Amino acid sequence: MIYVIHQPAAGEASAWFAFDADDLLRKVAAGDALPAHAIWDRASARELLALFDESPAAGGVRERFPGICALGDADGWDTLLHRADYLHEAGLYAPQPTRCEEACFAALRARGGQWKFYENEPHALAAVDLPDPLYDAPGGWRARWALRQQLIAVEALADDL
């Protein structure tokens, strides 16, 4: 599970979880101005052409889709390309790997406030008691409490501790 804690500049802290990277992307996209494929996507140049019912061998495809064809020629038609508009130039598909989680975290950070992300339950459980600049700041106990309550809700932490 991935745990997300948000302390907005004004208002109450909140915490929520995602089962995995796909669930995280779905939840982040549900509250974002950008669609999911702009927050994070992975596709080959061949797959991008297929979105337009085209193939690399189709007549005139290079004139209709010069950018996608340039990607296919440069990186290979089946090389996975990554898009993450909050981390890179908007709309850019590039061969450098970008993790879905990092793209989602960048989208959330763009919303403002302070954020904490724990990519597994042991790290989230440890964070409940560890010193942390967010949690130890004035009023930061609310963010720590939100994390604790989320861990109790998913039964990762007993509510009598």
Side-chain angles (χ1 to χ4, degrees), residues 7-32:
Q7 176 64 62
E12 289 298 314
S14 63
W16 51 275
F17 75 93
F19 289 106
D20 55 25
D22 291 336
D23 188 35
L24 178 66
L25 178 59
R26 184 183 59 76
K27 289 177 178 178
V28 170
D32 205 89

Side-chain angles (χ1 to χ4, degrees), residues 44-50 52 54-78 81 93:
S44 68
R46 186 180 313 278
E47 291 169 328
L48 292 173
L49 274 181
F52 301 100
E54 295 280 2
S55 71
V61 74
R62 292 185 176 282
E63 290 76 28
R64 290 188 303 278
F65 301 99
I68 296 175
C69 289
L71 286 171
D73 292 341
D75 300 310
W77 285 98
D78 296 310
L81 305 169
Y93 278 87

Side-chain angles (χ1 to χ4, degrees), residues 147-160:
L147 170 60
R148 184 178 184 283
Q149 291 304 107
Q150 181 61 63
L151 289 167
I152 290 170
V154 298
E155 300 180 351
L157 184 65
D159 61 358
D160 61 351

Side-chain angles (χ1 to χ4, degrees), residues 20 29 35 51 53 70-71 82-84 93 106 108 125:
D20 55 25
L51 293 173
D53 293 325
L71 286 171
H82 295 83
R83 177 178 177 177
Y93 278 87
L108 291 171
L125 285 166

